[in-house]
């Protein structure tokens, strides 16, 4: 398990500023969702973390190792990162086992028998035991995404990056695959970052949600805190339906300035209602 530290990250393409001094902390063993509308720079951030793009400014550290920054750059193949793109992007000419074991073969990961045993174990983990000899075209969309996940986990990555991996699945299948992926990551203690524009997906899956806006992280917090205490009205509207009222903060309302448990907050609100 490794943590991720991003500091002052900047990236431009021509005259377009995509990321502007972005800061982000991803604790080891957690699943963090990067949430934002289309075109907000989510995929660019993921590509910088993977090493597919170079940062213009700022630094990226993974597990205490500087992988991108002034005078430092670690190429993608040396970052031990598992990448799950949209649509799975499986090799059509390879079997399921061949796809999952591709990274192991490239790294010369042990003898063929041991490698085959690891592939079989990963397929069992993602619920595809016995599917090793099938080809991608013989699988459903959900099964292909599970294979892509197994392929990402095969190299025992320091970090797993997922770029809207459930977007192409129907609603019922999407919910089932999301739950399975969440369970697999938690069981393995995997550090993962999920990029999505789906608020429900981010709030239901992630330990922490980072909202990307204007090239920076507008707020990063656990889902419940982000929903109940958004940093500003724009975030309140973006995260869910919101009723916004102008007013002044009085002594009773100041209780909202400090953290309360749900039970404490309910008790305080009942007291105010009784007093009224």
């Amino acid at each position: 398990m490794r943590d991720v530290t991003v500091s002052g990250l900047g990236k431009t393409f021509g005259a377009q500023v995509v990321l502007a001094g972005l800061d982000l902390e991803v604790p080891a063993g957690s699943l963090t969702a990067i949430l934002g509308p289309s075109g907000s720079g989510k995929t660019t951030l993921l590509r910088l973390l993977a090493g597919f793009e170079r940062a213009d400014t700022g630094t990226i550290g993974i597990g205490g190792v500087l992988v991108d920054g002034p005078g430092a750059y670690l190429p993608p193949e040396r970052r031990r990162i598992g990448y799950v793109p949209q649509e799975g992007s499986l090799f059509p000419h390879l079997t399921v086992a061949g796809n999952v074991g591709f990274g192991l073969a490239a790294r010369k990961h042990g003898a063929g028998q041991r490698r085959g045993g690891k592939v079989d174990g990963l397929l069992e983990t993602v619920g595809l035991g016995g599917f090793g000899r099938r080809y991608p075209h013989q699988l459903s969309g959900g099964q292909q995404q599970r294979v892509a996940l197994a392929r990402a986990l095969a190299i025992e990555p320091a970090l797993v990056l997922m770029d809207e991996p459930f977007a192409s699945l129907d609603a019922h299948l999407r919910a089932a695959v999301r739950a399975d992926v969440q369970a697999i990551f938690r069981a393995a203690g995997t550090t993962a970052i999920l990029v999505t524009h789906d608020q429900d997906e981010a709030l239901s899956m992630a330990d922490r949600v980072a909202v990307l806006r204007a090239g920076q992280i507008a707020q990063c917090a656990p889902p419940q805190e982000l929903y109940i205490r958004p940093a500003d009205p724009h975030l309140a509207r973006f995260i869910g339906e919101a009723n916004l009222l102008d007013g002044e903060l009085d002594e009773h309302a100041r209780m909202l300035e400090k953290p309360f448990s749900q039970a404490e907050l309910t008790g305080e609100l009942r007291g105010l209602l009784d007093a009224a």
Side-chain angles (χ1 to χ4, degrees):
M1 296 189 299
R2 298 191 182 185
D3 61 339
V4 178
T5 303
V6 177
S7 179
L9 196 64
K11 184 65 179 179
T12 62
F13 294 99
Q16 182 183 7
V17 178
V18 181
L19 302 178
L22 183 146
D23 297 319
L24 178 66
E25 296 280 344
V26 178
S30 69
L31 195 165
T32 296
I34 308 297
L35 179 63
S38 298
S40 61
K42 303 186 301 297
T43 296
T44 296
L45 174 59
L46 221 60
R47 291 179 62 81
L48 288 167
L49 291 169
F52 301 154
E53 301 278 357
R54 290 291 308 271
D56 295 330
T57 59
T59 61
I60 300 173
I62 300 177
V65 176
L66 183 64
V67 300
D68 198 354
Y73 173 70
L74 199 66
E77 65 272 15
R78 295 180 57 194
R79 296 192 186 188
R80 283 189 54 221
I81 288 178
Y83 196 92
V84 184
Q86 296 183 39
E87 309 293 342
S89 298
L90 302 180
F91 299 115
H93 65 291
L94 295 180
T95 63
V96 166
N99 270 280
V100 174
F102 181 82
L104 299 177
R107 290 171 177 260
K108 298 180 173 58
H109 187 93
Q113 186 173 0
R114 292 199 302 274
R115 188 162 60 237
K118 182 166 187 175
V119 169
D120 289 342
L122 283 165
L123 289 176
E124 290 287 347
T125 298
V126 299
L128 292 176
F131 280 64
R133 294 187 177 183
R134 297 192 187 187
Y135 284 85
H137 71 272
Q138 297 173 310
L139 304 177
S140 67
Q143 289 168 338
Q144 290 185 31
Q145 287 302 103
R146 291 168 190 255
V147 174
L149 175 62
R151 182 177 62 185
L153 294 173
I155 60 172
E156 299 177 0
L159 173 67
V160 172
L161 305 175
M162 298 178 287
D163 187 5
E164 303 199 43
F166 316 114
S168 63
L169 306 180
D170 63 66
H172 176 73
L173 184 58
R174 184 163 60 243
V177 175
R178 283 193 320 218
D180 289 342
V181 169
Q182 187 179 38
I184 290 167
F185 283 166
R186 286 184 174 169
T190 302
T191 306
I193 296 176
L194 166 70
V195 156
T196 181
H197 64 270
D198 186 325
Q199 287 96 334
D200 290 341
E201 185 168 279
L203 295 172
S204 64
M205 284 191 70
D207 300 304
R208 297 164 80 245
V209 179
V211 181
L212 185 56
R213 182 178 70 197
Q216 298 179 333
I217 299 299
Q219 186 175 359
C220 183
Q224 185 176 14
E225 180 180 341
L226 185 67
Y227 189 83
I228 294 176
R229 296 184 181 89
D232 56 47
H234 177 86
L235 280 169
R237 295 187 187 95
F238 180 71
I239 293 301
E241 295 183 3
N243 295 316
L244 304 179
L245 302 175
D246 292 329
E248 295 182 1
L249 193 65
D250 64 16
E251 57 182 290
H252 297 295
R254 291 188 186 280
M255 69 178 187
L256 297 175
E257 292 184 325
K258 61 180 181 178
F260 274 76
S261 70
Q262 188 66 42
E264 289 172 328
L265 184 59
T266 301
E268 290 285 349
L269 291 174
R270 284 177 177 169
L272 290 173
L273 290 172
D274 291 340

